[in-house]
Short mmCIF file of all heavy atoms in Angstrom, two decimals:
data_model
loop_
_atom_site.label_atom_id
_atom_site.label_comp_id
_atom_site.label_asym_id
_atom_site.label_seq_id
_atom_site.Cartn_x
_atom_site.Cartn_y
_atom_site.Cartn_z
N ARG V 291 0.81 -1.20 0.00
CA ARG V 291 0.01 0.00 0.00
C ARG V 291 0.87 1.25 0.00
O ARG V 291 0.51 2.28 -0.60
CB ARG V 291 -0.91 -0.03 1.25
CG ARG V 291 -1.76 1.21 1.43
CD ARG V 291 -2.63 1.48 0.20
NE ARG V 291 -3.27 2.73 0.35
CZ ARG V 291 -2.71 3.91 0.14
NH1 ARG V 291 -1.45 3.98 -0.20
NH2 ARG V 291 -3.37 5.01 0.27
N SER V 292 1.99 1.23 0.68
CA SER V 292 2.92 2.37 0.70
C SER V 292 4.28 1.95 0.22
O SER V 292 4.67 0.79 0.39
CB SER V 292 3.03 2.98 2.12
OG SER V 292 1.91 3.72 2.45
N ILE V 293 5.01 2.86 -0.36
CA ILE V 293 6.33 2.57 -0.84
C ILE V 293 7.27 2.33 0.34
O ILE V 293 7.36 3.14 1.26
CB ILE V 293 6.87 3.73 -1.71
CG1 ILE V 293 6.02 3.91 -2.92
CG2 ILE V 293 8.32 3.51 -2.08
CD1 ILE V 293 6.31 5.13 -3.73
N VAL V 294 7.95 1.17 0.36
CA VAL V 294 8.90 0.84 1.43
C VAL V 294 10.29 0.90 0.89
O VAL V 294 10.62 0.31 -0.15
CB VAL V 294 8.57 -0.58 2.00
CG1 VAL V 294 9.55 -0.92 3.12
CG2 VAL V 294 7.16 -0.66 2.49
N SER V 295 11.17 1.62 1.59
CA SER V 295 12.54 1.81 1.14
C SER V 295 13.45 1.94 2.34
O SER V 295 13.02 2.49 3.37
CB SER V 295 12.63 3.09 0.27
OG SER V 295 13.98 3.42 0.07
N PRO V 296 14.70 1.47 2.28
CA PRO V 296 15.62 1.68 3.39
C PRO V 296 16.12 3.08 3.50
O PRO V 296 16.80 3.45 4.43
CB PRO V 296 16.76 0.73 3.05
CG PRO V 296 16.74 0.59 1.56
CD PRO V 296 15.31 0.66 1.20
N ILE V 297 15.78 3.94 2.50
CA ILE V 297 16.21 5.34 2.54
C ILE V 297 15.31 6.15 3.45
O ILE V 297 14.08 6.16 3.26
CB ILE V 297 16.20 5.94 1.09
CG1 ILE V 297 17.09 5.11 0.17
CG2 ILE V 297 16.61 7.39 1.14
CD1 ILE V 297 17.00 5.55 -1.28
N SER V 298 15.89 6.80 4.45
CA SER V 298 15.10 7.57 5.41
C SER V 298 14.38 8.69 4.65
O SER V 298 14.93 9.37 3.82
CB SER V 298 16.02 8.17 6.46
OG SER V 298 15.29 9.00 7.32
N GLY V 299 13.07 8.88 4.96
CA GLY V 299 12.28 9.93 4.36
C GLY V 299 11.51 9.56 3.12
O GLY V 299 11.12 10.42 2.35
N THR V 300 11.31 8.28 2.87
CA THR V 300 10.59 7.84 1.66
C THR V 300 9.17 8.35 1.68
O THR V 300 8.66 8.83 0.65
CB THR V 300 10.63 6.31 1.52
OG1 THR V 300 12.00 5.91 1.43
CG2 THR V 300 9.89 5.87 0.28
N THR V 301 8.46 8.17 2.79
CA THR V 301 7.05 8.61 2.89
C THR V 301 7.04 10.12 3.19
O THR V 301 7.50 10.51 4.28
CB THR V 301 6.29 7.83 3.96
OG1 THR V 301 6.30 6.47 3.60
CG2 THR V 301 4.86 8.31 4.01
N ARG V 302 6.58 10.94 2.28
CA ARG V 302 6.59 12.37 2.49
C ARG V 302 5.23 12.92 2.84
O ARG V 302 5.13 13.92 3.57
CB ARG V 302 7.11 13.07 1.23
CG ARG V 302 8.56 12.79 0.95
CD ARG V 302 9.03 13.61 -0.20
NE ARG V 302 10.47 13.48 -0.42
CZ ARG V 302 11.19 14.17 -1.27
NH1 ARG V 302 10.58 15.11 -2.01
NH2 ARG V 302 12.48 13.99 -1.41
N ASP V 303 4.17 12.34 2.36
CA ASP V 303 2.84 12.84 2.64
C ASP V 303 2.12 11.89 3.61
O ASP V 303 2.58 10.79 3.84
CB ASP V 303 2.02 12.92 1.32
CG ASP V 303 1.21 14.17 1.25
OD1 ASP V 303 0.92 14.74 2.33
OD2 ASP V 303 0.87 14.59 0.13
N ALA V 304 1.05 12.37 4.19
CA ALA V 304 0.22 11.50 5.02
C ALA V 304 -0.65 10.68 4.08
O ALA V 304 -1.39 11.24 3.28
CB ALA V 304 -0.65 12.35 6.00
N ILE V 305 -0.55 9.35 4.15
CA ILE V 305 -1.22 8.44 3.22
C ILE V 305 -2.39 7.77 3.89
O ILE V 305 -2.26 7.11 4.90
CB ILE V 305 -0.23 7.38 2.71
CG1 ILE V 305 1.09 8.04 2.28
CG2 ILE V 305 -0.86 6.55 1.59
CD1 ILE V 305 0.95 9.06 1.17
N ASP V 306 -3.59 7.93 3.36
CA ASP V 306 -4.81 7.30 3.87
C ASP V 306 -5.10 6.01 3.16
O ASP V 306 -5.03 5.94 1.94
CB ASP V 306 -6.01 8.23 3.74
CG ASP V 306 -5.95 9.39 4.75
OD1 ASP V 306 -4.86 9.67 5.22
OD2 ASP V 306 -7.01 9.98 4.99
N MET V 307 -5.47 5.00 3.94
CA MET V 307 -5.86 3.71 3.34
C MET V 307 -7.11 3.21 4.06
O MET V 307 -7.15 3.19 5.30
CB MET V 307 -4.72 2.71 3.52
CG MET V 307 -5.08 1.27 3.18
SD MET V 307 -5.47 1.06 1.45
CE MET V 307 -5.73 -0.68 1.35
N ILE V 308 -8.13 2.90 3.29
CA ILE V 308 -9.36 2.36 3.88
C ILE V 308 -9.30 0.84 3.92
O ILE V 308 -9.05 0.19 2.94
CB ILE V 308 -10.60 2.79 3.03
CG1 ILE V 308 -10.61 4.31 2.86
CG2 ILE V 308 -11.88 2.29 3.68
CD1 ILE V 308 -10.70 5.11 4.16
N VAL V 309 -9.48 0.30 5.13
CA VAL V 309 -9.44 -1.16 5.33
C VAL V 309 -10.72 -1.57 6.04
O VAL V 309 -11.17 -0.91 7.00
CB VAL V 309 -8.23 -1.55 6.23
CG1 VAL V 309 -8.26 -3.05 6.55
CG2 VAL V 309 -6.92 -1.20 5.51
N THR V 310 -11.33 -2.65 5.59
CA THR V 310 -12.56 -3.17 6.19
C THR V 310 -12.26 -4.53 6.79
O THR V 310 -11.64 -5.39 6.15
CB THR V 310 -13.67 -3.28 5.15
OG1 THR V 310 -13.91 -1.99 4.59
CG2 THR V 310 -14.96 -3.79 5.79
N ARG V 311 -12.73 -4.73 8.04
CA ARG V 311 -12.60 -6.01 8.71
C ARG V 311 -13.94 -6.35 9.35
O ARG V 311 -14.32 -5.68 10.32
CB ARG V 311 -11.49 -6.03 9.73
CG ARG V 311 -11.19 -7.39 10.33
CD ARG V 311 -10.10 -7.38 11.33
NE ARG V 311 -10.47 -6.68 12.51
CZ ARG V 311 -9.94 -6.90 13.73
NH1 ARG V 311 -8.98 -7.82 13.84
NH2 ARG V 311 -10.31 -6.21 14.77
N GLY V 312 -14.66 -7.32 8.85
CA GLY V 312 -16.02 -7.59 9.32
C GLY V 312 -16.88 -6.37 9.05
O GLY V 312 -16.98 -5.92 7.91
N ASP V 313 -17.59 -5.86 10.08
CA ASP V 313 -18.47 -4.72 9.90
C ASP V 313 -17.76 -3.43 10.33
O ASP V 313 -18.38 -2.37 10.46
CB ASP V 313 -19.77 -4.90 10.66
CG ASP V 313 -19.52 -5.07 12.17
OD1 ASP V 313 -18.33 -5.21 12.56
OD2 ASP V 313 -20.48 -5.11 12.93
N ARG V 314 -16.43 -3.45 10.54
CA ARG V 314 -15.71 -2.30 11.03
C ARG V 314 -14.79 -1.78 9.91
O ARG V 314 -14.12 -2.56 9.24
CB ARG V 314 -14.87 -2.74 12.27
CG ARG V 314 -14.14 -1.60 12.97
CD ARG V 314 -15.07 -0.60 13.60
NE ARG V 314 -15.95 -1.16 14.59
CZ ARG V 314 -15.67 -1.34 15.88
NH1 ARG V 314 -14.45 -1.07 16.32
NH2 ARG V 314 -16.55 -1.83 16.72
N THR V 315 -14.79 -0.44 9.75
CA THR V 315 -13.96 0.17 8.76
C THR V 315 -12.90 1.04 9.41
O THR V 315 -13.17 1.76 10.36
CB THR V 315 -14.80 1.05 7.81
OG1 THR V 315 -15.78 0.23 7.14
CG2 THR V 315 -13.94 1.72 6.73
N TYR V 316 -11.68 0.94 8.93
CA TYR V 316 -10.55 1.68 9.49
C TYR V 316 -9.95 2.57 8.38
O TYR V 316 -9.83 2.15 7.23
CB TYR V 316 -9.47 0.77 10.00
CG TYR V 316 -9.95 -0.31 10.97
CD1 TYR V 316 -10.49 -1.52 10.43
CD2 TYR V 316 -9.89 -0.12 12.31
CE1 TYR V 316 -10.93 -2.50 11.31
CE2 TYR V 316 -10.35 -1.12 13.19
CZ TYR V 316 -10.86 -2.30 12.68
OH TYR V 316 -11.31 -3.27 13.54
N ARG V 317 -9.61 3.78 8.75
CA ARG V 317 -8.82 4.66 7.87
C ARG V 317 -7.42 4.69 8.45
O ARG V 317 -7.14 5.33 9.45
CB ARG V 317 -9.42 6.07 7.78
CG ARG V 317 -8.58 7.03 6.92
CD ARG V 317 -9.19 8.42 6.89
NE ARG V 317 -10.46 8.40 6.21
CZ ARG V 317 -10.64 8.58 4.93
NH1 ARG V 317 -9.57 8.81 4.15
NH2 ARG V 317 -11.83 8.55 4.37
N LEU V 318 -6.47 4.01 7.79
CA LEU V 318 -5.11 3.95 8.22
C LEU V 318 -4.31 5.08 7.57
O LEU V 318 -4.34 5.23 6.35
CB LEU V 318 -4.47 2.60 7.90
CG LEU V 318 -5.20 1.40 8.47
CD1 LEU V 318 -4.49 0.09 8.04
CD2 LEU V 318 -5.28 1.43 9.98
N ILE V 319 -3.62 5.86 8.36
CA ILE V 319 -2.90 7.04 7.87
C ILE V 319 -1.40 6.85 8.11
O ILE V 319 -0.94 6.94 9.26
CB ILE V 319 -3.40 8.31 8.60
CG1 ILE V 319 -4.90 8.41 8.60
CG2 ILE V 319 -2.77 9.56 7.94
CD1 ILE V 319 -5.47 9.44 9.57
N ASP V 320 -0.64 6.56 7.07
CA ASP V 320 0.81 6.44 7.17
C ASP V 320 1.37 7.87 7.01
O ASP V 320 0.90 8.68 6.23
CB ASP V 320 1.32 5.53 6.05
CG ASP V 320 2.80 5.24 6.24
OD1 ASP V 320 3.35 5.45 7.33
OD2 ASP V 320 3.41 4.78 5.25
N THR V 321 2.40 8.17 7.82
CA THR V 321 2.91 9.53 7.84
C THR V 321 4.42 9.53 7.66
O THR V 321 5.10 8.52 7.80
CB THR V 321 2.59 10.24 9.16
OG1 THR V 321 3.20 9.53 10.23
CG2 THR V 321 1.09 10.32 9.38
N ALA V 322 4.98 10.72 7.34
CA ALA V 322 6.40 10.89 7.26
C ALA V 322 7.03 10.70 8.62
O ALA V 322 6.44 11.05 9.65
CB ALA V 322 6.76 12.29 6.74
N GLY V 323 8.27 10.14 8.65
CA GLY V 323 9.02 10.05 9.89
C GLY V 323 9.30 11.46 10.45
O GLY V 323 9.69 12.34 9.71
N ILE V 324 9.10 11.63 11.75
CA ILE V 324 9.24 12.92 12.35
C ILE V 324 10.64 13.03 13.05
O ILE V 324 10.91 12.32 14.02
CB ILE V 324 8.12 13.17 13.39
CG1 ILE V 324 6.78 13.06 12.68
CG2 ILE V 324 8.27 14.55 14.01
CD1 ILE V 324 5.57 13.14 13.63
N ARG V 325 11.48 13.88 12.47
CA ARG V 325 12.81 14.06 13.00
C ARG V 325 12.86 15.28 13.90
O ARG V 325 11.90 16.03 14.06
CB ARG V 325 13.82 14.27 11.86
CG ARG V 325 13.94 13.09 10.91
CD ARG V 325 15.15 13.22 10.06
NE ARG V 325 15.08 14.36 9.16
CZ ARG V 325 16.10 14.83 8.45
NH1 ARG V 325 17.29 14.26 8.56
NH2 ARG V 325 15.97 15.86 7.62
#
């Protein structure tokens, strides 16, 4: 779902992902590493 890289700082924006499990919905937000 998100680009994975050993280079620090790959994820620059906050990334939303909608995931459903049973009758529950989750919005997963991947974010940039905070230095």
Side-chain angles (χ1 to χ4, degrees):
R291 176 58 187 78
S292 283
I293 297 171
V294 180
S295 166
I297 302 173
S298 176
T300 300
T301 300
R302 294 187 174 186
D303 222 335
I305 311 302
D306 286 20
M307 171 64 176
I308 305 299
V309 174
T310 301
R311 189 180 68 153
D313 59 353
R314 186 66 59 85
T315 300
Y316 308 84
R317 177 182 293 271
L318 303 179
I319 311 165
D320 189 16
T321 61
I324 303 174
R325 298 195 295 168

